[in-house]
Structures are given as structure tokens and as C-alpha cells.
Amino acid sequence: MLLSSKRLVKWAVLLLWIAIVAVAVPFAGKLPDVVKAESAAELPRGAQSTEVEKLTDRFRDGKQAPAVIVYARTTGVTPADRTEAGADRRALAALAAGTVDPPQPSRDGQALLLTVPLHDDDDLADNAEKVRDIVTGHVPRGLQVKVTGPAGAALDSGDAFRKVDKPLLLVTVVLVAAVLLLTYRSPVLWLLPLVSAAVSLQLSTAVVYLLGRYADLYVADGMSTILDALVFGITTDYALLLLARYREELRRHEDRHRAMAVALRRAAAPVTASAATVCLGLLCLLAARMGFNYALGPVGAIGVAGGLVVAMTLLPALLVVLGRWVFWPRIPRFGDAPPSRGGVWDRVGRRVAARPRLVWTLGAAVLAALAAGCLGVHTGLDRAHFLTTTPNSVKGERIAAAHYPGDESRPLQVIGRKPVDLRGLPGIARTGTPETSADGRLTRTAVVLTDPPDGDAAQRTVERIRHARPDALVGAGAASELDLADAQAHDRRVVIPLILAVVLLVLTALLRALVAPLLVIATVVASYFAALGASWLLFRYAFGFPALDVQVALMGFLFMVALGVDYNLFLVSRIREEAARAGHRAGVLRGLGVTGGVISAAGLVLASTFGVLGVMPVTMFVEIGVLVSLGVLLDTFLVRSVIVPALALDAGPRFWWPGAAPGTGHRARP
């Protein structure tokens, strides 16, 4: 009776998941409805530029993101050009959030500048697209027309994501399927990790939507791209680890239900610890100031938790329902001998064991050589390189800069109790007419600088204004660029140590040791810097990128350390289990031998899912994808397979200090 009730559990789990998916899919499809697409959404928390954005609601025209239309003709604008710009002005009045002033002619007579105020809200990109459609509908021959300013940048960004979101997910599925087919060489088994990943993605996306809709969870633009890669990669990894353990237990147990119960019990600790490591590492981003960084923490943690729940409940139920035949043609039978020794990872282990100190020293030298590339890293992409191709908004900025003093498309906004007096301060081209808030308590003044807002000179001008007028708030334009750079520097100083502390605590608790966690973390950090150095050389000399985006260093560190520790955690926890049976040295070699194949496949899957980001037209995502993919491959095939086993063998039982060495019952000596 008890056995019968246990066998019914799998059907109950399947029915429950069918119900969950039926409810989740409609909500998952609504995720774009809660994305905060306005330009102010990603500004740093507590920065002056953010406070300026908040105060704009007190002015009659509210939050705005101007669409700046540049008309240019090298031989000089014609009466027909002026007529066209005037017609555009009248047509755009219906979209504008305020008054559309007449086109402003340049001093050289070769350009016109039309500024259309748009509401800075979730419809910004859509309204900017309507502006573009209107102004490019009937362009006189020989006249250049570009949409720039904050609205133009939002339009370029929206275009980039719309073009690749669905194809990117399709490419991810195809790559993961290819790796799984090569791993299992089975016509059916490869589908189960993909089904698990698809279900966890729907579940996670639905939860993110519901929290965004009803709990004010901040969902940043582009977040779904990261969520897709993270959920697909990590769910498939957990599925691969459970499948490997289940295959082992099917050879030891005649009843597949019993085999699954044992596999779950033995896989639960490392898989749960892995999920906890990644979730807690992501939640460290709640200490970040940058809007995107802060948003990624809870959203990413939801995705990882979804992957864990699916891999530990739905996948086991599917495997037990389908039975042993799902492994065809290599079906594990009860009583079958374990795979014979002499596989690739057994051979690697024997060679590492011959001279472990030499092996890890040479491995460390390889990582150090790659890490040397970090010495030439430049950070801070300008707007011209936000996309992998030059966007129209940047082309428009360049045209405007050639015909108008300063940066007319992105002026500073200075808000204070009274109009600001900036006379005598260098770097200022002109100041606009002060505007009074609806309640009459504040004034806002537009300030056009002589230098482009992305440059150091403009940011120094912002610092001078803030120093000279501490009673006012300076935002927008170059002030936003300065605050973003300061926030990223803060996030690196604060979040990276938090991530390392969290990972160390989780590893220490799981392994009941201190030396092993410290060595593992040291190797993962070394592989991060090696991947960063190698990636920078690729970005600089193969991709032609002039710098790293300011978010790449932190995002890369988070994903590589939190995810890279996973594979080492799976390896070292299995080494501990095997060492308890056969002693430390044999445990290291056996642990490497039995986990080598599955962890290598998992690493390839994760590298593939992040590598797909390399086809994005957004430079930041390309850099994150390449960096994490390289780091995962280094960690999988060098750090985890060679350096960590060599360190464990060289350290001997001291690897487990201050806990007891497995299988001895005696405390390891330091």
C-alpha cells in the first residue's frame, strides 16, 4: 500500500505542474507590460540626476525626453527644407508633451534643429518611432534628417531589442539541444532538460510579471534577455546533474522509484547549495546603486529558484513516469557494472596525480598570462558605441555638434529654489530661460555645455557647477553620465566583496571546511581575471570595441563567480563523498572521474546560453556574453578539471581543515 501511494506521487506532481504551466503562460506573456522603459528608470539611486528626474513632475510639462530632429544640407538649407520642418512641427504637435518651438537655424545656415518634448514614460520608444515615421515620410532630396536626443536613443535601444529577442531565444534552444544531443546521443532524453528549462522560464517570467504588476518589482528594459540565458543555462545544468546521478542509481536499484529517491537525496545538497550560492550572490545586487544592477538581483534570483524547483520536482516525475527506456539506446540496467575505468577524466586524473604541484603551478601560470590582458583594459563606453553599429541617434548628435555650439540635444537641467547664476564658469555655452514649477517653489534651467556630455571635460564642468551651486541639483546630460560612472564604481567596491563573502559562507557550510572553500574561490577569481584579460584582447583587436561598458566588470564577476563556483562545488562535494569511502587520494580521482563528463556538458550548455548574447546588437550584452562564456569554459576545462584536483591532491587531508578528513573521523591537520 505504501509503495503504491509513493508511485502515485509522480502523477500528482505531473498534474500539479500542468496546472501551474496553464496558469503561468498567460502571465509570462505579459512581462513587457511591467518593463520600466522610460529613460529615468535606470538612473542611480540617490544621485542628483535621479533627484532631478523626480522633481520634474512638479513642473507643468512633467517628465520629458525630447526628440531632437536634425535637418542638415551641406549646401545650405533651402526654403523647401524650412517648409518641410515647419510641416513636421505642426504634425508632431499632437504627440508632444508641451509646446513645440519653431525650428532653430544654425549660424552656418546648413542645419535646422526641431525639439519635440515627449513624455518620459513606458511609451517613449513607441512615440519616438511615430516621430521618426512622420519626419522621414517626405524628405526633400539631399536633406539629411535624423532623430536624436533622449527619445532617439530610446528608439534605437528599443529597435535593437525588438529585432533579436525572439530569434535569440530560438538560437539558445538550438544550441542547448545540440549540446544535449552530443552528450546523450539519445533521441528522447535530450528533450527532458529542454522541457524543464522551458517550464522554469515560463514560471519565472510569470512570477516576475506578477511581482512587477502587484508588488512594484522593478523590471528593467533588456532584463528578459539576461533572464532567458540564466534560466536556460542553470536549469539545464541542474537537470544534467540529476540525470547523471539517476543513471548511476538505476544500476544499483531494481525499482526506478527507489533509484530516483536515492538520486534526489544525494543530489539535493550540492544542487540546493548551488542554487543558494547563485541566488544569494544575485541578491547582493540589492546593495547596488545602478538601476539595472539593482533590478537584476531579485529577478535573477527568481529565475534560479524556478530552475531549482523544476529540476527537483517536475524532471524527477517525468523520468520516473517514462521509465528506463528514455535512456535508449544506452539503457542502464539493474546490476550493470559501472562504466569501466579508463575514460577521459580518469586519464586526466591519473596524469594530474602524478605531479599535482607542478600541474597547479602551470595552470596558475596560464591564468596569470591571460589575466595580464587586464592591464590594458579601458572602461566606459560612450553613446556612440552603445550598439555594435552606429545608431541613428548618434549620427544625429554628430550632425548637430557640427553645426551648433555645445550639445543642444542633451542639456543639463539645474533645479533650485531660485534661478541659478552660472556666470564665469568655464565650459558653459549658454543657459536657457528659467522655468518655474507649478507650485512656484522651484526653478529649472537648461544649461548647454561646450563639450559633448560623454567626455571628461563635460563631467568636470558638472563638478564645477555642483561645487559652485551646492544649493541646486544638477541632472540630465553630462550629469547623468557622471552619476552613472560613480554608481558603477560604488557597486564594484561594495557588491564584489559581498558576493565573495556569501560564496565563502555557503561553501564552508556545505563542505564543513575552510581550506577547500578558500582554494576554490581563489581559483574561480583567478579564472575571472584570466577571462577578463582574454576577452579584452578580443574586444579591442577582433571586435573593435574601444572600451568595456561600465557594467560588464561587475556583471561578469557575478555570473562567473556565482556560476563558476557551481561546478567546483559539484566536484568537491562528490570528492568528499567518495573520500569517505576510499580515502582522500582515491576520492579525488574518483570524484573527478564520475563528474567530469556531466560537468563538462553542463559547462558547455552554460557557455552556449551566454555565448548567444554575442549576437546581440547591444555592446554591453555582447561583452557580458563573451566574458562569461570564456570564463565558464576556462573554469570547466582548466580550473575544475585540472587545477582544483591538483590542489586537493597536493594539500592532502589538509584540504578539509579544520573539519575532519572524510573517512578518517580525525580532524585534518593545518
Side-chain angles (χ1 to χ4, degrees), residues 394-430:
V394 171
K395 294 177 182 177
E397 279 189 4
R398 290 174 178 171
I399 294 172
H403 299 286
Y404 294 88
D407 186 358
E408 296 281 351
S409 65
R410 287 194 289 161
L412 298 179
Q413 299 293 334
V414 183
I415 295 180
R417 296 289 181 185
K418 55 185 179 180
V420 295
D421 180 7
L422 302 177
R423 288 176 296 182
L425 288 179
I428 296 175
R430 66 177 181 85

Side-chain angles (χ1 to χ4, degrees), residues 139 178 197 221 282 305 336 360 414 433 466 479 509 530 550 557 580:
V139 179
D221 199 14
L282 284 162
D336 284 353
W360 72 255
V414 183
T433 302
R466 286 176 172 173
V550 289
F557 186 87

Side-chain angles (χ1 to χ4, degrees), residues 104-279:
Q104 177 186 351
S106 63
R107 291 182 179 178
D108 60 14
Q110 296 179 359
L112 298 170
L113 205 65
L114 180 64
T115 301
V116 182
L118 298 178
H119 288 296
D120 189 1
D121 54 21
D122 293 341
D123 296 324
L124 175 60
D126 291 337
N127 288 331
E129 185 174 12
K130 294 175 184 176
V131 170
R132 180 178 62 188
D133 292 342
I134 290 172
V135 301
T136 58
H138 302 88
V139 179
R141 186 183 299 275
L143 181 68
Q144 294 186 77
V145 181
K146 300 293 182 184
V147 180
T148 185
L155 175 59
D156 289 334
S157 178
D159 283 346
F161 283 112
R162 277 194 295 268
K163 288 177 183 176
V164 299
D165 264 350
K166 290 183 179 178
L168 196 71
L169 185 57
L170 179 61
V171 172
T172 301
V173 172
V174 170
L175 277 177
V176 172
V179 174
L180 293 174
L181 277 168
L182 288 172
T183 301
Y184 291 116
R185 301 186 183 95
S186 166
V188 178
L189 188 60
W190 66 276
L191 285 169
L192 297 186
L194 275 184
V195 169
S196 300
V199 170
S200 62
L201 184 59
Q202 293 299 308
L203 173 65
S204 304
T205 305
V207 172
V208 170
Y209 164 75
L210 290 171
L211 291 176
R213 176 71 177 79
Y214 299 106
D216 202 30
L217 177 70
Y218 171 34
V219 185
D221 199 14
M223 193 64 67
S224 62
T225 303
I226 294 288
L227 187 64
D228 290 350
L230 180 62
V231 172
F232 252 86
I234 209 155
T235 305
T236 307
D237 280 3
Y238 296 159
L240 288 171
L241 291 161
L242 179 64
L243 278 167
R245 203 67 197 241
Y246 179 50
R247 189 198 291 268
E248 286 184 47
E249 299 305 327
L250 284 173
R251 299 189 185 99
R252 299 186 181 122
H253 301 278
E254 186 172 7
D255 178 54
R256 66 182 187 275
H257 300 83
R258 175 63 180 163
M260 179 55 75
V262 175
L264 276 173
R265 186 172 67 249
R266 292 182 174 173
V271 171
T272 303
S274 163
T277 302
V278 182
C279 284

Side-chain angles (χ1 to χ4, degrees), residues 601-664:
L604 286 173
V605 166
L606 192 62
S608 298
T609 57
F610 274 91
V612 171
L613 296 179
V615 304
M616 288 281 290
V618 182
T619 305
M620 179 188 76
F621 286 107
V622 173
E623 292 181 340
I624 290 175
V626 171
L627 172 59
V628 175
S629 295
L630 276 178
V632 168
L633 292 175
L634 273 174
D635 201 69
T636 301
F637 294 103
L638 177 60
V639 173
R640 191 272 313 163
S641 59
V642 175
I643 297 178
V644 170
L647 286 168
L649 288 167
D650 193 24
R654 292 172 296 179
F655 192 67
W656 309 106
W657 185 87
T664 66

Side-chain angles (χ1 to χ4, degrees), residues 539-550:
F539 298 148
R540 189 70 185 91
Y541 299 107
F543 291 79
F545 298 157
L548 289 179
D549 186 273
V550 289

Side-chain angles (χ1 to χ4, degrees), residues 430-453:
R430 66 177 181 85
T431 58
T433 302
E435 174 191 8
T436 305
S437 62
D439 58 10
R441 296 182 178 181
L442 297 174
T443 63
R444 181 173 64 182
T445 306
V447 179
V448 178
L449 304 184
T450 57
D451 301 294

